[in-house]
Amino acid sequence: MYQNHFVVDAHTHFWDGSPANQINRYGEGFIKCFHDYHSNLSPDEYKWPLEDFERYSEERMIRDLFENGYDDVAILQSTYLTDWYVNGFNTTEQNGRIAERHPGRFIVNGRWDPRDGEAGLGELERLHERWQLRGVKLYTAEWKGYSKGWKLSDPWAYRYLEKCQELGIRNIHVHKGPTVYPMNRDAFDVADVDDAATAFPALNFIVEHVGLPRLEDFCWIATQEPNVYGGLAVAMPFIHSRPRYFAQIIGELLYWLDENRILFGSDYAIWQPKWLIEKFVDFQIPDDMQGEYGVLTPQIKRKILGLNAARLYDIKVPGEFDVPDEPSDSGPAIASDSASSGAAA
Amino acid sequence: MRDLAWAALAGVRDPELDQPITDLGFVASLEVASLDVASLDGATPGTGDAGIRVELRLPTYFCAPNFAWLMVADARDALAAIPGAGPITVTLVDHFAAAEINSAAAFADHFQTDGLDGDLEELRSAFDRKAHVAAQERLARQLAPLVGDRLGALTLAEASRLAPDAAQAVARRRERLALVSDLAICDERGAPIAADRLGVWLRLARTVRVSVDGNAELCRGLLRTRYGVTRS
């Protein structure tokens, strides 16, 4: 909780990227790439040396998220990457155990991979039974032997999305962001999200990293699909080093989506919620840009920092922190108008 | 020869960022023959008797191999076009797919696997179209206060008088796309944007421009973090 904001951190990890857990140079490169993002976009006083970053203690995580970091609830995302890490990078089991030791603090998201076929469907059921999943994190670019990725529109992915629907796992987080992995077909669009969001209107698709660095592709899809949401991990840290660029990103998102479909996520341990939240609450669109982008109201900030995610995850928000949902008039009318223009780049 | 080589490399762009690899700091070293050895950031240059040897580097270990491939191939082509350049060696360093990319075989030979598209020209063209949209948005931003509601009908020739640099940037990108239009602002086939659609069209173009510009910022920052420099 920070000032009068109820904070749901929709994107956190308890990972093990240490050399002992690395299988190959890809595992090493992956965590180093994360560390580059961390070093590039964090304020100096929040930068960790690589060895701290590769693996951190449970105590440190609790302190960074809840004691110093203002998170009220944190959603733990699962990322397996078992071709690169002996015990996986952060599995549902590992996340679940820390969640059980700190009741009320965490929500544990599972994962699935359509390349696991029939067996994976059974495994998803078991994960759900064990951890009462309300969401999953999907890494469409995860390597699996010879295969370098998959699409949400693949027939087997549909089987898994159907299974999610059947089990009541409504929140589908998809990593569509910076290329921390070698995927061609993932390299310039989020088209498979468009496809799946249309086919499964009862599921919520949270596009992590708002498609950066292909923001416009994400905005285009989100504008047309009311069940597509944007996760701000990776975008939010620009608030420190490139505040004017952050103003542009948040301005574009508010224009094409609206304030009800944008979710805060620190991406811990890449970034710490404390400084992100402090800076965001203090942030305003620069004067000379307000003509184009308007202003960030306290209500918009409260929704982004927690209330939007609370709605998706049925998290009880203490009454004094809640704000009424208001219909928003952005989005669909504009998109449907320009959809016929052929202007989509 | 060194100046010629540098100028040739300056013509190679990151296909996604639409900026020269020389500006982005992606050229780690440039050696011309064995008598004119130079390294851009003080690192020890390699040795050898090649005509021109270039090392390229990227902001992260996992930069998409298709983009890396295009830049390495474009750099080879640009250097090879210099008369009397001699043998050309372009090497990508610090990248997970460096071995495959440096082998100079066809992209598809290495990357035509499940989940990867082999068609690099389509990728290049997609980003050329985005670059064109973003360049038009920059031009429109300069022109709008000057021409008001004539913007949609303004010719590129008129635009060149009012905003020469921005208009030239648009013209260069049209050349890459082989897109012919007399209009300053047009769609991807060269057709005019109807007056009642112009506002929304430019609004989407702005998002494209924010995306391209921001991406370049991210890459510069990452490169600085990784190598401690952004440019030579």
Side-chain angles (χ1 to χ4, degrees):
Chain A
M1 204 157 313
Y2 181 61
Q3 296 176 0
N4 56 349
H5 297 81
F6 181 79
V7 178
V8 178
D9 191 338
H11 200 99
T12 66
H13 310 274
F14 186 47
W15 68 52
D16 180 1
S18 64
N21 196 28
Q22 294 165 8
I23 294 174
N24 47 29
R25 66 186 172 115
Y26 304 115
E28 182 191 353
F30 185 78
I31 190 71
K32 282 184 171 168
C33 181
F34 271 21
H35 188 251
D36 285 347
Y37 278 93
H38 163 83
S39 307
N40 179 30
L41 292 178
S42 297
D44 285 342
E45 62 271 33
Y46 290 93
K47 288 178 186 169
W48 295 359
L50 180 62
E51 53 274 28
D52 288 9
F53 187 81
E54 284 169 340
R55 189 172 196 187
Y56 40 90
S57 69
E58 180 171 331
E59 293 69 31
R60 184 172 200 167
M61 179 167 181
I62 298 298
R63 195 168 63 238
D64 288 341
L65 294 183
F66 303 110
E67 291 164 21
N68 298 332
Y70 315 120
D71 282 4
D72 290 285
V73 178
I75 300 173
L76 281 162
Q77 306 290 359
S78 297
T79 318
Y80 280 40
L81 303 178
T82 42
D83 275 25
W84 301 347
Y85 295 98
V86 179
N87 302 313
F89 190 59
N90 65 125
T91 64
T92 310
E93 295 287 334
Q94 290 159 10
N95 289 328
R97 283 196 295 274
I98 185 173
E100 280 185 334
R101 289 192 291 270
H102 303 274
R105 290 298 205 184
F106 290 106
I107 287 173
V108 179
N109 276 358
R111 59 78 84 170
W112 45 259
D113 185 328
R115 295 166 297 189
D116 295 337
E118 205 68 59
L121 286 171
E123 177 58 22
L124 177 61
E125 280 186 19
R126 278 189 295 281
L127 277 182
H128 179 60
E129 200 173 313
R130 175 70 181 84
W131 304 107
Q132 297 83 49
L133 303 178
R134 282 179 258 177
V136 288
K137 169 76 184 288
L138 305 179
Y139 232 80
T140 53
E142 182 163 353
W143 289 16
K144 186 177 173 64
Y146 183 64
S147 165
K148 305 296 188 234
W150 54 276
K151 286 186 181 186
L152 282 165
S153 51
D154 292 344
W156 267 101
Y158 267 42
R159 294 274 305 272
Y160 279 78
L161 289 167
E162 282 162 11
K163 177 63 78 180
C164 282
Q165 199 158 270
E166 182 189 315
L167 296 171
I169 303 172
R170 291 202 317 271
N171 299 309
I172 314 295
H173 295 248
V174 194
H175 179 109
K176 291 288 182 187
T179 312
V180 286
Y181 37 69
M183 297 312 300
N184 267 17
R185 70 178 179 186
D186 184 46
F188 68 99
D189 70 29
V190 289
D192 58 338
V193 177
D194 195 3
D195 189 281
T198 309
F200 294 90
L203 299 178
N204 306 312
F205 291 84
I206 301 103
V207 175
E208 295 298 346
H209 322 309
V210 292
L212 285 176
R214 286 153 289 267
L215 178 67
E216 74 280 13
D217 291 337
F218 165 72
C219 285
W220 185 250
I221 287 167
T223 303
Q224 301 187 61
E225 306 293 337
N227 54 334
V228 168
Y229 295 73
L232 282 180
V234 177
M236 188 83 107
F238 283 109
I239 204 168
H240 163 63
S241 55
R242 294 284 186 277
R244 289 182 67 84
Y245 176 52
F246 176 73
Q248 290 186 316
I249 296 177
I250 199 81
E252 296 297 329
L253 290 171
L254 287 168
Y255 179 84
W256 292 108
L257 283 78
D258 65 51
E259 65 200 60
N260 298 315
R261 291 199 279 149
I262 304 173
L263 274 59
F264 164 67
S266 65
D267 224 341
Y268 186 87
I270 307 186
W271 296 287
Q272 295 201 30
K274 179 178 166 63
W275 68 268
L276 289 169
I277 292 166
E278 287 172 353
K279 284 177 190 289
F280 184 67
V281 168
D282 285 344
F283 185 79
Q284 190 49 270
I285 307 284
D287 286 346
D288 63 315
M289 297 167 78
Q290 289 182 4
E292 271 181 299
Y293 291 120
V295 297
L296 282 178
T297 64
Q299 175 157 318
I300 291 176
K301 291 177 183 176
R302 278 197 290 272
K303 286 182 172 183
I304 290 175
L305 282 179
L307 303 181
N308 290 338
R311 192 174 68 245
L312 296 186
Y313 278 86
D314 293 327
I315 298 167
K316 177 108 182 66
V317 178
E320 70 265 36
F321 298 114
D322 212 348
V323 295
D325 269 338
E326 284 176 7
S328 170
D329 62 356
S330 79
I334 294 158
S336 49
D337 180 29
S338 54
S340 57
S341 73
Chain B
M1 180 56 78
R2 186 180 158 75
D3 290 346
L4 286 174
W6 187 256
L9 291 171
V12 177
R13 286 169 175 266
D14 178 304
E16 185 175 31
L17 307 182
D18 193 35
Q19 295 188 17
I21 58 173
T22 46
D23 280 3
L24 288 163
F26 291 177
V27 181
S29 68
L30 165 63
E31 298 171 41
V32 176
S34 48
L35 47 141
D36 180 15
V37 173
S39 172
L40 299 176
D41 55 1
T44 309
T47 55
D49 56 3
I52 300 176
R53 295 171 73 97
V54 168
E55 283 187 335
L56 299 183
R57 64 186 176 196
L58 296 171
T60 81
Y61 183 74
F62 278 114
C63 281
N66 43 0
F67 301 144
W69 194 285
L70 284 172
M71 284 184 272
V72 169
D74 288 354
R76 281 193 192 114
D77 291 347
L79 294 168
I82 302 173
I88 306 294
T89 311
V90 178
T91 311
L92 180 67
V93 297
D94 298 345
H95 190 271
F96 83 95
E100 293 88 339
I101 288 170
N102 293 336
S103 77
F107 183 81
D109 290 350
H110 288 297
F111 294 99
Q112 190 71 57
T113 60
D114 180 20
L116 286 166
D117 302 320
D119 188 352
L120 292 189
E121 286 315 308
E122 189 183 311
L123 181 78
R124 191 199 291 277
S125 158
F127 284 107
D128 280 345
R129 285 196 299 276
K130 284 193 185 195
H132 177 240
V133 170
Q136 285 194 116
E137 197 271 347
R138 290 185 202 101
L139 176 62
R141 186 171 284 260
Q142 291 186 30
L143 293 176
L146 306 174
V147 303
D149 58 10
R150 289 203 305 118
L151 182 62
L154 202 71
T155 65
L156 192 55
E158 285 176 89
S160 298
R161 285 192 290 278
L162 296 168
D165 290 350
Q168 202 197 353
V170 168
R172 271 203 307 271
R173 283 155 186 85
R174 282 196 190 163
E175 207 174 305
R176 293 214 299 264
L177 285 169
L179 175 71
V180 180
S181 171
D182 294 334
L183 296 167
I185 308 298
C186 65
D187 73 10
E188 64 181 28
R189 292 177 299 278
I193 313 288
D196 62 344
R197 282 172 36 215
L198 187 63
V200 108
W201 194 88
L202 288 173
R203 193 61 193 69
L204 184 63
R206 183 172 84 188
T207 313
V208 173
R209 192 255 307 157
V210 167
S211 189
V212 173
D213 289 352
N215 195 10
E217 277 296 300
L218 180 67
C219 287
R220 285 179 191 279
L222 285 171
L223 195 81
R224 191 165 54 239
T225 299
R226 197 173 188 202
Y227 294 107
V229 291
T230 45
R231 63 176 69 196
S232 58

